Amino acid sequence: PSWNAIIPQNSPIPSNQAGVTSLCHPWSAGCTTWLTRYVAGIEPTAPGFATVNITPHLGRLLTSVAADAPTPHGVIHWIFDAKKGRAELVVPDGVTARVGIPALERTIDTIRINGRKAWPIPVIPGTDLQSDRVYQNGDRVYFTDVGLGHYTFDIRYSGTTPDRKSVV
């Protein structure tokens, strides 16, 4: 059955607390946006996705996320698998990303990007400085200015993420 057969035109649907009826949006559109932005972590930081943050939030129950975010520049493809210690990212031309790899209450020992060691980074020769493009802040290691390309992140963790029951 259709709502159109039951309710008058432009009337609120039953149990609709907002008083406004919109039947012109796809099912779960709000949920899809929320999952992409907050769980998978693909969040625009400039108009048209010119810049984005990619910072997944798995919590203690999820072990992986995958999302494709359509942008005016093309699709941002992101997969993060905490069990395998692997992530895959495709950034279209015209998008610059800041990627935050979560520690998930463990220690990040090493990160390799496309087979090359990217974390921990060595000190710049002749200084006591590290690159400002790769840094650790809180429980994440961030990679900035990630542009056009296909990236594979291999992450080696030590320790274990506590199960949700250990939280009081």
Side-chain angles (χ1 to χ4, degrees):
S2 168
W3 284 116
N4 294 332
I6 300 170
I7 61 173
Q9 185 175 4
N10 295 324
S11 294
I13 58 174
S15 298
N16 180 357
Q17 305 302 314
V20 177
T21 301
S22 171
L23 303 176
C24 64
H25 58 275
W27 175 85
S28 79
C31 183
T32 301
T33 299
W34 183 84
L35 287 169
T36 301
R37 182 172 283 194
Y38 297 107
V39 179
I42 302 172
E43 180 179 12
T45 55
F49 282 83
T51 61
V52 297
N53 282 338
I54 302 175
T55 54
H57 300 276
L58 277 69
R60 289 184 172 177
L61 295 177
L62 294 177
T63 59
S64 66
V65 292
D68 287 331
T71 78
H73 307 282
V75 174
I76 296 172
H77 173 74
W78 172 242
I79 298 172
F80 179 80
D81 188 322
K83 270 189 172 177
K84 293 179 182 176
R86 191 158 177 92
E88 181 180 320
L89 174 64
V90 176
V91 179
D93 193 18
V95 175
T96 302
R98 180 178 78 129
V99 180
I101 302 295
L104 304 168
E105 300 182 69
R106 300 184 279 178
T107 300
I108 299 174
D109 295 324
T110 61
I111 300 174
R112 293 186 167 285
I113 300 176
N114 295 342
R116 298 185 71 194
K117 185 178 178 183
W119 179 262
I121 58 171
V123 172
I124 298 170
T127 73
D128 58 355
L129 302 174
Q130 292 183 328
S131 168
D132 59 353
R133 295 180 64 200
V134 180
Y135 62 94
Q136 186 166 13
N137 186 7
D139 72 336
R140 294 179 188 274
V141 172
Y142 288 94
F143 299 91
T144 63
D145 298 326
V146 179
L148 170 67
H150 182 187
Y151 304 92
T152 302
F153 296 78
D154 291 303
I155 307 126
R156 192 175 74 214
Y157 292 100
S158 58
T160 58
T161 301
D163 66 13
R164 68 184 177 107
K165 294 175 187 167
S166 64
V167 176
V168 189

